[in-house]
Amino acid sequence: MALLQISEPNASPEPHHRRSAVGIDLGTTNSLVATVRNSVAEIIPDENGKAILPSAVSYQKDGSVLIGGSALHGKKHDPANTFISVKRLMGRSYQEAVAMSVPYDLVADANIVKFNTHQGVLSPIEVSAQILAKLRQRAEDALDDELVGAVITVPAYFDDAQRQATKDAARLAGLNVLRLLNEPTAAAVAYGLDNGAEGVYAVYDLGGGTFDISILRLSKGVFEVLATVGDTQLGGDDFDDLIVEDIVKYHDTSEFSKADWRHLKTIARKVREKLTDMPKAFVQTSLSNGLHLDLNFPRSHFENLARQLVAKTLESVKQALKDAAITAADVNGVVMVGGATRMPIVRQMVGEFFQKPPLTDIDPDQVVAIGAALQANKLAGNPAPGDEDWLLLDVTPLSLGLETMGGLVEKVIPRNSVIPVARAQDFTTFKDGQTAMSIHVLQGERELVDQCRSLARFELRGIPPMVAGAARIRVSFQVDADGLLSVSAQEQSSGVHADITVKPSYGLSDDEISKMLSDGMGNAQFDAQQRLLREQQLEAQQLLQSLRSALESDADLLSPQELAEVQAQMQHTEASAAGDDVEAIRQAVAKLSAATEEFAARRMDRSIRQALAGKSVDDV
């Protein structure tokens, strides 16, 4: 008979009953796994003592799979079956992958990215699962124990689909996800617990494929994210592209193969890494078309190229400070995260912006994994290092809302709301006798539906028939600690209910996320005008609909001349509502309301007389 070990709720496990959990930084370029042992968070190396696992997977013809450093050799010889930077394709659609000109054999699919490989059709989720499985095995071998779970980090700007794709990859890898944790927050945890830091900190996270800046307040063990802004189309890869463009600018590239471009990208990365510690880097390589490159690349030249991209990250920093309602002088320290922050030009320009040297005490490649390990240790029920108690208050990066009449977006959860979060808002019906309502969930910063991203649709049916505006439908949004959304709707009087867990088949593209924020800020005045126009048009339509209904039943209360005047004013209002002159619509609505005041009074008198017919004063 199987025996179950039973422990008291919230009881701290004994040392020999410690539950093994890990933190995983699933990176665009490199990945790491960490754990807490003997009250110290540490990176788990492989059997050769290497901490970093390159995020590369190569599928071989013989059915084997190479993962990590051994897979990188296939970049030049078999680029279609060797996957690097696959994190950039998580949650993307086929059309988005085509636009990125990825060097893979894509399967035409309406929803998600899929690749033709030596081993069949695979998705970015399955490729990422190989990396995660390798890290899981490394951890289990080192700890000599099965894992109860893992905290996996994601960019702060990953949307619902990208987060869900990460969880699916972990499930395929045999991992129980304790929580998805935003990378900047993980870095703050590592610094906050190691240094006992308090105050406001900026986390500058420049990885291989994404950039995030988060502003956090650390106070008595509480990590509160005040604001987060990112450019998810900017990372170390883009600095490498600058080097490639510079190397080939005087050569005819029309005959370069995909393998040539991948090889040049590898050379560029090596040049960038060498220039971190050396004043010059030398380039000697040959391409498939016979071209031989022999170049001397000075750091000063690279920094002139790179300055524009670093300045671009600082624009996001300015926006994050503005969102948090603070200045650079209010920031106590700047935590550097990601291998790309090793570049001297990055540290120099960030230091100049904040007027203080960036914090680099913890290896920027390892700090995210270490923070994730500390959170995993806590969620597994183990005592925190130093018996410190702490709480994470992360935020949602983009606003969430739903469509209302007139094609408008009603924001229910604004961006930078602390998660987990639940918000509810009441809505009502637009037409008399309406028994169903379509709920359209949206994400973005603009005011109009067609300018935001659709996440999901569902219907609430069984609403009791009532006059327009009488029903009360409460729509509730809930974002969990992983940043995943669920929405429910309930009619208050009858209790009819419908809900949905938002899991779109693919998510926002990187540039769409950044564009949503920039568009929302840059078009604020235009959006406000458009919203005012839509609201005025909606008011006109509601008035016209009410009048049409009233005339169907009570037109006899008007003389032929009065009826003609009302109908003429209705036609004028309808014509005005079809235009885009807000003031003209407002005036037309006002004139129509004034023209029908007497009609409304007569309808009220008739209604009262009908209600009192056959009744005495005592009955009333």
Side-chain angles (χ1 to χ4, degrees):
M1 181 177 69
L3 298 178
L4 300 178
Q5 180 178 357
I6 300 175
S7 61
E8 292 297 320
N10 301 321
S12 299
E14 296 298 322
H16 59 282
H17 289 152
R18 189 176 191 86
R19 308 176 78 198
S20 296
V22 295
I24 293 178
D25 176 7
L26 180 62
T28 306
T29 307
N30 297 306
S31 296
L32 300 96
V33 59
T35 192
V36 174
R37 286 194 283 197
N38 301 318
S39 297
V40 177
E42 60 184 40
I43 300 296
I44 301 175
D46 65 10
E47 62 276 10
N48 298 316
K50 293 182 178 179
I52 288 175
L53 176 73
S55 300
V57 179
S58 183
Y59 294 90
Q60 306 295 296
K61 289 182 179 179
D62 62 4
S64 62
V65 181
L66 303 179
I67 304 167
S70 59
L72 294 175
H73 301 299
K75 286 196 298 182
K76 183 175 181 180
H77 305 294
D78 191 8
N81 287 278
T82 302
F83 299 92
I84 60 173
S85 298
V86 74
K87 181 175 175 178
R88 279 189 159 184
L89 295 173
M90 294 284 274
R92 283 182 177 265
S93 70
Y94 165 75
Q95 290 81 4
E96 290 164 339
V98 170
M100 292 172 66
S101 301
V102 295
Y104 310 124
D105 182 9
L106 297 176
V107 179
D109 189 289
N111 291 322
I112 62 174
V113 180
K114 291 181 181 177
F115 318 113
N116 281 312
T117 74
H118 291 319
Q119 298 181 28
V121 176
L122 299 170
S123 70
I125 292 173
E126 293 164 291
V127 177
S128 295
Q130 295 280 1
I131 300 168
L132 290 169
K134 186 79 170 179
L135 294 172
R136 175 185 61 79
Q137 191 60 56
R138 178 191 291 188
E140 289 180 348
D141 290 346
L143 299 173
D144 194 25
D145 194 9
E146 290 188 5
L147 302 179
V148 299
V151 169
I152 300 178
T153 61
V154 293
Y157 269 67
F158 258 24
D159 76 329
D160 287 309
Q162 291 164 310
R163 290 170 188 269
Q164 189 63 55
T166 304
K167 293 192 81 170
D168 291 343
R171 190 177 300 112
L172 282 175
L175 283 166
N176 171 40
V177 179
L178 299 173
R179 180 173 176 181
L180 296 180
L181 184 62
N182 286 348
E183 291 163 1
T185 310
V189 168
Y191 266 92
L193 293 184
D194 275 9
N195 300 337
E198 296 226 342
V200 176
Y201 285 79
V203 181
Y204 182 99
D205 184 356
L206 184 62
T210 60
F211 169 71
D212 287 313
I213 175 70
S214 293
I215 310 297
L216 300 94
R217 178 179 286 116
L218 280 61
S219 177
K220 297 180 180 178
V222 177
F223 296 76
E224 180 186 4
V225 182
L226 302 179
T228 185
V229 176
D231 188 336
T232 48
Q233 196 66 6
L234 176 58
D237 288 353
D238 299 285
F239 289 84
D240 297 339
D241 288 339
L242 290 177
I243 296 174
V244 171
E245 290 170 11
D246 192 71
I247 289 175
V248 303
K249 64 183 178 183
Y250 297 121
H251 300 282
D252 180 8
T253 61
S254 59
E255 295 183 2
F256 282 20
S257 66
K258 288 183 178 180
D260 287 335
W261 287 113
R262 288 287 286 269
H263 178 59
L264 285 169
K265 191 75 173 281
T266 301
I267 294 296
R269 181 170 297 166
K270 290 179 179 177
V271 167
R272 177 166 62 88
E273 291 172 351
K274 285 181 179 178
L275 292 176
T276 297
D277 302 309
M278 300 168 59
K280 292 181 181 180
F282 298 95
V283 178
Q284 286 186 323
T285 190
S286 297
L287 304 181
S288 61
N289 63 355
L291 176 64
H292 181 74
L293 298 173
D294 190 350
L295 300 172
N296 180 1
F297 214 94
R299 180 195 286 176
S300 57
H301 179 56
F302 168 68
E303 292 185 342
N304 286 334
L305 297 175
R307 200 170 288 274
Q308 58 173 316
L309 289 182
V310 183
K312 192 174 180 182
T313 69
L314 294 178
E315 290 302 314
S316 294
V317 173
K318 292 175 185 177
Q319 184 59 54
L321 292 172
K322 182 178 179 182
D323 290 347
I326 62 172
T327 67
D330 298 320
V331 176
N332 297 83
V334 186
V335 177
M336 301 300 273
V337 180
T341 62
R342 294 180 185 277
M343 290 184 280
I345 185 64
V346 173
R347 296 186 178 185
Q348 175 194 328
M349 291 181 67
V350 171
E352 289 172 353
F353 180 87
F354 283 99
Q355 293 297 298
K356 54 180 64 73
L359 298 172
T360 56
D361 301 353
I362 305 178
D363 187 327
D365 281 321
Q366 299 184 5
V367 63
V368 167
I370 288 173
L374 290 165
Q375 172 72 347
N377 187 65
K378 178 180 174 67
L379 294 178
N382 299 319
D387 292 323
E388 295 185 49
D389 194 18
W390 41 279
L391 174 68
L392 297 183
L393 299 176
D394 224 328
V395 297
T396 179
L398 291 169
S399 299
L400 297 160
L402 47 80
E403 178 178 357
T404 59
M405 290 302 297
L408 298 172
V409 179
E410 184 68 25
K411 292 183 176 68
V412 179
I413 297 180
R415 74 185 183 95
N416 285 330
S417 295
V418 174
I419 58 173
V421 60
R423 298 274 177 87
Q425 199 158 324
D426 287 348
F427 296 87
T428 190
T429 50
F430 183 71
K431 295 182 179 180
D432 293 342
Q434 186 175 335
T435 60
M437 177 179 284
S438 176
I439 311 293
H440 184 194
V441 184
L442 299 145
Q443 183 176 40
E445 303 309 312
R446 303 294 294 275
E447 297 290 339
L448 305 183
V449 168
D450 56 6
Q451 295 167 344
C452 290
R453 182 62 177 266
S454 173
L455 290 183
R457 295 175 185 266
F458 67 103
E459 289 188 346
L460 177 66
R461 295 188 172 276
I463 301 172
M466 309 179 196
V467 296
R472 286 290 175 268
I473 292 93
R474 176 155 296 177
V475 181
S476 302
F477 280 55
Q478 186 167 7
V479 180
D480 66 16
D482 294 329
L484 299 174
L485 170 68
S486 59
V487 183
S488 63
Q490 183 175 38
E491 200 283 312
Q492 298 297 85
S493 64
S494 64
V496 293
H497 178 271
D499 58 40
I500 189 171
T501 298
V502 178
K503 186 179 178 181
S505 56
Y506 62 90
L508 296 170
S509 66
D510 288 340
D511 56 348
E512 280 181 316
I513 298 174
S514 300
K515 190 172 184 297
M516 277 184 173
L517 284 177
S518 60
D519 284 356
M521 297 160 191
N523 294 281
Q525 185 174 358
F526 174 77
D527 284 353
Q529 293 171 343
Q530 288 297 302
R531 185 177 187 92
L532 188 62
L533 173 62
R534 294 288 181 93
E535 289 175 341
Q536 200 61 56
Q537 289 173 328
L538 188 60
E539 182 180 350
Q541 291 165 4
Q542 288 176 318
L543 178 57
L544 288 167
Q545 186 169 316
S546 297
L547 275 173
R548 291 188 189 103
S549 178
L551 289 173
E552 285 180 6
S553 59
D554 296 317
D556 60 300
L557 293 175
L558 297 172
S559 67
Q561 182 179 354
E562 289 173 328
L563 179 60
E565 290 176 357
V566 168
Q567 289 175 333
Q569 190 57 51
M570 288 176 67
Q571 289 177 352
H572 174 65
T573 303
E574 193 166 10
S576 298
D580 57 6
D581 188 333
V582 175
E583 187 56 33
I585 301 172
R586 184 184 289 113
Q587 290 180 7
V589 168
K591 289 179 180 177
L592 181 58
S593 297
T596 55
E597 282 181 0
E598 180 61 27
F599 178 44
R602 293 175 192 174
R603 292 190 72 221
M604 180 65 73
D605 288 344
R606 171 178 283 183
S607 177
I608 293 173
R609 283 198 297 271
Q610 289 175 342
L612 296 179
K615 295 183 180 180
S616 67
V617 174
D618 292 335
D619 292 334
V620 176

